[in-house]
Amino acid sequence: MESKLVLITGASRGIGAETALLAARKGWNVVITYKVQKSAAESVVDRIEKMGRRAWAVKVDVANEDEIYALFRKIDTEYGRLDALVNNAGAITGITSFVDMSPERMREVFNINVIGSFICAQEAVKRMILGSGGQGGSIVNVSSAASRIGSPNEFIDYAASKGAIDTFTLGLSKEVASEGVRVNAVRPGLISTDLHADTGDKDRPEKLKQFIPMQRAGEPSEVASAIVWLISNEASYVNGALLDVAGGR
Ligand code: NDP
């Protein structure tokens, strides 16, 4: 039987790259996207192909809906199926107080983290739902523990964008459940990736680990395990879950 295909946005590095590699180890073919880091994305593809699975890297800025539509057209014509979507691409904002945030910054983080995930999910759902001749499928949205913590004095705008992702997950999971599509979210805590450099403090994981019950930052592979489980048939009755992967924080 032909392997299932998962699309993972923002998978040139960090949590997305680990998810792509683990999904391939579990037998999935993988389409990954990147925004600028082409060679990092190509190296993920190489590693997957060495496992005997098929993989493709596509350049997509999820803040640009035309690029998202082109990506899904490519999936239709070149790969011919889509079984799972991981809405992982995301951007964080610099550490600052709420009163100092510009409207441009607020719009940008919502465009990438929220609208980008919405449009990817719309395109995936159209192809997956049984009523349109699809075969069903699974969507995992990568939220953040920030959605329940609120990130005061750091990046309330980013935290609120992830709050939107939680609510989106709850609503969409109920809307498409009877059409064979499961929708869940993971909420990572502090994970050791490049993301923290974009806050202006690349040492955040080290500095904040004392506030985590497990006393350490998480590894991207530890989030990937949860995501790959959620898209798999092992999670066949899990729908609308917001799964914390945050070391107890
Ligand atoms: P990284 O910074 O390590 O990787 C980000 C990935 O997203 C890269 O592949 C990057 O592509 C891509 N990307 C960034 N902006 C865009 C864009 N506009 N359009 C398309 N792709 C884009 O991040 P993480 O792995 O840490 O984060 C992945 C997800 O996990 C995000 O949604 C983040 O909010 C969430 N998360 C992370 C936590 C953490 O502590 N690290 C905690 C909680 C949630 P390129 O390489 O080409 O730039």
Side-chain angles (χ1 to χ4, degrees):
M1 208 175 78
E2 195 195 342
S3 290
K4 289 184 171 182
L5 184 79
V6 56
L7 165 63
I8 307 169
T9 62
S12 45
R13 52 203 168 92
I15 293 168
E18 287 299 324
T19 303
L21 293 165
L22 181 61
R25 277 199 288 279
K26 298 277 184 184
W28 293 78
N29 289 331
V30 189
V31 174
I32 66 169
T33 75
Y34 63 96
K35 184 183 171 195
V36 286
Q37 297 215 14
K38 185 176 184 197
S39 60
E42 285 173 349
S43 139
V44 173
V45 165
D46 281 352
R47 290 173 67 188
I48 291 174
E49 286 175 342
K50 285 195 178 99
M51 293 177 207
R53 302 256 63 90
R54 302 179 70 199
W56 303 266
V58 186
K59 179 174 162 42
V60 178
D61 180 349
V62 296
N64 180 331
E65 67 255 35
D66 290 335
E67 293 186 23
I68 296 176
Y69 296 138
L71 165 69
F72 278 87
R73 282 196 301 271
K74 194 175 172 71
I75 287 172
D76 290 341
T77 54
E78 296 188 23
Y79 324 127
R81 64 182 297 161
L82 180 66
D83 304 281
L85 163 69
V86 180
N87 264 325
N88 169 75
I92 202 162
T93 45
I95 293 172
T96 189
S97 64
F98 177 66
V99 291
D100 291 329
M101 288 172 194
S102 68
E104 291 74 27
R105 159 185 161 138
M106 295 177 197
R107 279 194 198 95
E108 189 185 3
V109 74
F110 270 74
N111 263 341
I112 297 169
N113 292 0
V114 182
I115 311 291
S117 294
F118 281 12
I119 295 173
C120 287
Q122 264 182 339
E123 291 303 298
V125 162
K126 282 181 204 164
R127 288 157 176 83
M128 289 173 178
I129 55 175
L130 303 175
S132 296
Q135 302 293 310
S138 172
I139 296 174
V140 174
N141 296 317
V142 181
S143 173
S144 171
S147 71
R148 56 183 167 72
I149 294 167
S151 306
N153 306 306
E154 284 196 312
F155 25 72
I156 289 178
D157 49 359
Y158 169 81
S161 76
K162 296 299 190 178
I165 290 298
D166 288 358
T167 308
F168 168 54
T169 302
L170 297 176
L172 187 63
S173 66
K174 295 183 176 91
E175 191 162 317
V176 297
S178 64
E179 289 281 358
V181 182
R182 294 184 300 108
V183 184
N184 294 287
V186 291
R187 294 196 295 202
L190 205 61
I191 308 299
S192 298
T193 70
D194 297 344
L195 186 82
H196 300 284
D198 296 334
T199 68
D201 183 2
K202 67 176 173 40
D203 299 326
R204 259 186 98 243
E206 190 56 30
K207 285 183 189 159
L208 296 183
K209 69 180 187 189
Q210 57 179 313
F211 301 114
I212 300 167
M214 287 179 71
Q215 299 283 297
R216 67 170 177 87
E219 293 301 321
S221 60
E222 295 178 293
V223 183
S225 302
I227 296 172
V228 173
W229 175 70
L230 281 170
I231 61 170
S232 78
N233 279 339
E234 288 175 28
S236 54
Y237 200 54
V238 182
N239 189 39
L242 308 176
L243 178 57
D244 288 307
V245 186
R249 188 171 179 221

